[in-house]
Amino acid sequence: MNQVYEPLPVSFYQKETLNLAQSLLGCLLVKETNEGLTSGYIVETEAYKGPEDRAAHSYRNRRTKRTEVMYKEAGRIYTYQMHTHTLFNVVSAGIDEPEAVLIRAIEPNDGVSLMEKRRSGRKLRDLTNGPGKLAKALGITMDDYGKPLTEPPLYLAKGYIPKDISCGPRIGIENSEEARYYPWRFWIKGNHYVSK
DNA sequence: GACATGATGCACT
DNA sequence: GTGCATCATGTCT
């Protein structure tokens, strides 16, 4: 299949994690598979900041097989399994700085019918408005773990500049004590496809 | 090897 | 709003 979008360069990812989490909003997330090309504009993200962030997998520098890619350079893919779902993160910060940005929701763009098929015929709005949902809709799996986001089959491309960004506490980390209140979740204000 | 846990989603009330 | 399926991963033994 021909590549129809130009991947963003690695320099795009080389910024402070909270900054990157906001910069990702409006970018086009593209996945190419044998079944076809699917894409969506990122509308919701969450930043996870390394050793001091109680909610991060890399809290207290916990370096395991799962978190290993977080210690690599920015712009790599960090996927992991949660219950029966795959969640997709963008690795941020420098070498040995285990930070990442979770992509929580996208706005469907290309390949909507394929995404509907992968999501058992659910309606447009329910296709990609959650981290597990968008991974399934785009066909993101653990096979993508550790690969660079700067080339197919999974990459980011230029999208649009969001008009207005909101922030608030992250979702689903109630057991993370003080970290549960950090306003490190970002979304495009008023967007129809934000998860909550 | 055994066991506890969860950055979720879905069905149900 | 509440309950729970379900399994990879991490930790302890």
Side-chain angles (χ1 to χ4, degrees), chain A residues 119-140:
Chain A
R119 292 272 301 130
S120 319
R122 287 178 191 279
K123 296 296 178 192
L124 188 62
R125 188 168 179 186
D126 281 321
L127 246 32
T128 56
N129 62 338
K133 298 179 191 179
L134 74 89
K136 186 165 188 192
L138 292 178
I140 295 172

Side-chain angles (χ1 to χ4, degrees), chain A residues 36-135:
Chain A
L37 183 148
T38 47
S39 76
Y41 296 100
I42 296 172
V43 299
E44 182 180 358
T45 62
E46 282 180 2
Y48 286 86
K49 302 234 326 165
E52 298 81 38
D53 179 2
R54 233 186 158 85
H57 294 152
S58 50
Y59 176 58
R60 284 162 56 167
N61 252 322
R62 196 161 69 158
R63 189 166 187 159
T64 64
K65 193 178 175 198
R66 178 175 71 160
T67 61
E68 184 59 31
V69 73
M70 293 181 76
Y71 290 80
K72 304 249 189 222
E73 74 278 14
R76 291 209 189 221
I77 297 162
Y78 173 33
T79 48
Y80 80 100
Q81 297 293 134
M82 169 59 175
H83 293 261
T84 53
H85 310 283
T86 303
L87 274 63
F88 165 65
N89 297 249
V90 177
V91 173
S92 176
I95 302 278
D96 289 336
E97 294 176 322
E99 307 187 3
V101 178
L102 170 68
I103 308 302
R104 283 196 60 87
I106 65 174
E107 176 182 339
N109 184 47
D110 294 302
V112 170
S113 61
L114 177 54
M115 290 196 269
E116 284 175 344
K117 181 181 151 200
R118 287 171 175 155
R119 292 272 301 130
S120 319
R122 287 178 191 279
K123 296 296 178 192
L124 188 62
R125 188 168 179 186
D126 281 321
L127 246 32
T128 56
N129 62 338
K133 298 179 191 179
L134 74 89

Side-chain angles (χ1 to χ4, degrees), chain A residues 175-188:
Chain A
N175 296 327
S176 299
E177 303 186 25
E178 76 279 0
R180 65 185 291 184
Y181 303 113
Y182 299 169
W184 290 352
R185 171 178 171 243
F186 303 94
W187 66 93
I188 296 178

Side-chain angles (χ1 to χ4, degrees), chain A residues 1-5 28-40 109-115 118 137-138 152-153 155:
Chain A
M1 175 187 303
N2 293 326
Q3 180 183 317
V4 295
Y5 296 104
L28 190 65
L29 177 62
V30 185
K31 169 83 194 211
E32 298 174 6
T33 70
N34 292 336
E35 294 180 291
L37 183 148
T38 47
S39 76
N109 184 47
D110 294 302
V112 170
S113 61
L114 177 54
M115 290 196 269
R118 287 171 175 155
L138 292 178
Y155 57 97

